Amino acid sequence: MKEKTKKLVEAFGFLKMDEAQLLMEAADSLATGSIVVNVGAGAGTSALAIIEQRPDLAVTFYTVDMRDDDNPFGGMLNELHAFQNAKMEHLLPNQIKGDSSTVGNEWDKGEIAFLIIDADHTTDGLTKDIQSWLPHLAIGGLVALHDYKRDVWPDVAAVIDNTLMKDANYEYIETRDTMILFRKLEPQPLPMSEPEQESVYRKADERTAHIEPEQVQEETEAEEVTEKKVSKRRKNTKAVDEESAKE
């Protein structure tokens, strides 16, 4: 555990030590220039943990939060103070103020390699964050969600269990305390259905599809004339047979 991250964890407790360690390990797996998005600034612990571990990612690290005032719930000002106290202000993330799901829907800064979601903990709020941000996650990208199965936030686990846990396009990696990590996979192809049996009627329809209505009527009339001739011939043959029998 890096020294400055450890001090911030001990001071505020927004993250546990093993949760911060998971973020740092995930950061170590990222390529140079990878885009990281932290949805929910908190006390700045998530950002500090990742950037202290990988200072090169500060340029492509974005924090999204709707608060920029100093408050007990955390926000962009809290994050700024955390970096100032750590004497890392020059590595402060790119801060974007706004509703997290709205910012997600309008995101245009490229595919995300590592996404951390720790903002609105209600069913509606977390669902919107997942729906707005995950489409921007690169294939092979990581997404970490905080407060999974924490008693005071039951909606978080319910939403994750009904979305990412059931989604074949996401691989569950691990959970440390209440930080859960997934990886986005290649899209899974839809199962192939059994080949449809082609009916005789469909084949007949395909053969006659090009025939004009007038041609169909002429052919029908010709068939009726032919049937009448055949019927008359049968009657004549029957009459001759009966005469022969009398003789």
Side-chain angles (χ1 to χ4, degrees):
M1 175 67 64
K2 296 285 186 178
E3 178 185 355
K4 294 174 182 178
T5 299
K6 182 178 180 182
K7 287 182 178 179
L8 191 58
V9 168
E10 292 173 342
F12 291 95
F14 275 49
L15 291 185
K16 302 291 182 61
M17 290 293 183
D18 52 351
E19 294 172 339
Q21 185 65 40
L22 178 59
L23 296 181
M24 296 166 77
E25 291 173 12
D28 271 337
S29 71
L30 303 179
T32 301
S34 294
I35 294 176
V36 182
V37 174
N38 180 33
V39 182
T45 316
S46 296
L48 191 71
I50 292 170
I51 292 176
E52 187 178 18
Q53 185 73 14
R54 287 286 305 275
D56 60 297
L57 295 176
V59 177
T60 52
F61 192 112
Y62 298 85
T63 292
V64 180
D65 204 294
M66 63 190 305
R67 295 188 179 95
D68 59 0
D69 58 328
D70 199 355
N71 66 84
F73 301 103
M76 292 190 295
L77 187 58
N78 303 69
E79 183 180 70
L80 172 61
H81 289 163
F83 276 74
Q84 288 174 334
N85 293 334
K87 301 190 184 313
M88 291 172 54
E89 187 176 356
H90 62 292
L91 296 175
L92 182 70
N94 302 286
Q95 295 184 329
I96 301 175
K97 182 183 179 182
D99 175 75
S100 55
S101 61
T102 300
V103 176
N105 287 326
E106 298 173 354
W107 180 258
D108 61 356
K109 302 185 186 304
E111 287 192 320
I112 300 167
F114 188 18
L115 174 65
I116 304 100
I117 299 179
D118 189 12
D120 193 329
H121 286 34
T122 65
T123 297
D124 183 61
L126 179 54
T127 299
K128 286 180 178 178
D129 281 340
I130 288 173
Q131 292 173 342
S132 62
W133 283 104
L134 290 187
H136 303 296
L137 188 64
I139 300 299
L142 301 173
V143 53
L145 302 98
H146 191 221
D147 292 320
Y148 177 68
K149 291 195 174 178
R150 178 161 287 175
D151 292 341
V152 294
W153 301 113
D155 290 355
V156 173
V159 171
I160 294 172
D161 288 344
N162 286 319
T163 53
L164 290 164
M165 279 295 195
K166 293 182 178 180
D167 194 330
N169 294 312
Y170 288 87
E171 174 191 18
Y172 166 72
I173 298 177
E174 67 173 296
T175 302
R176 293 193 196 173
D177 206 305
T178 68
M179 185 74 75
I180 188 167
L181 187 67
F182 295 86
R183 177 181 289 108
K184 188 173 184 177
L185 305 174
E186 290 281 354
Q188 299 298 306
L190 295 174
M192 297 294 289
S193 58
E194 291 295 327
E196 185 179 359
Q197 294 296 322
E198 192 172 26
S199 69
V200 175
Y201 301 104
R202 176 178 297 175
K203 291 180 179 178
D205 290 342
E206 291 174 354
R207 288 197 299 270
T208 59
H210 65 284
I211 300 176
E212 297 295 331
E214 295 80 3
Q215 184 179 350
V216 173
Q217 184 176 355
E218 290 174 0
E219 292 180 357
T220 302
E221 292 174 353
E223 289 175 358
E224 291 176 352
V225 170
T226 302
E227 288 179 0
K228 288 179 180 179
K229 289 180 179 180
V230 171
S231 178
K232 185 176 181 181
R233 186 177 300 167
R234 286 175 178 169
K235 288 180 180 179
N236 291 339
T237 302
K238 184 177 180 181
V240 171
D241 290 342
E242 289 176 351
E243 288 295 328
S244 299
K246 288 178 182 180
E247 295 175 356

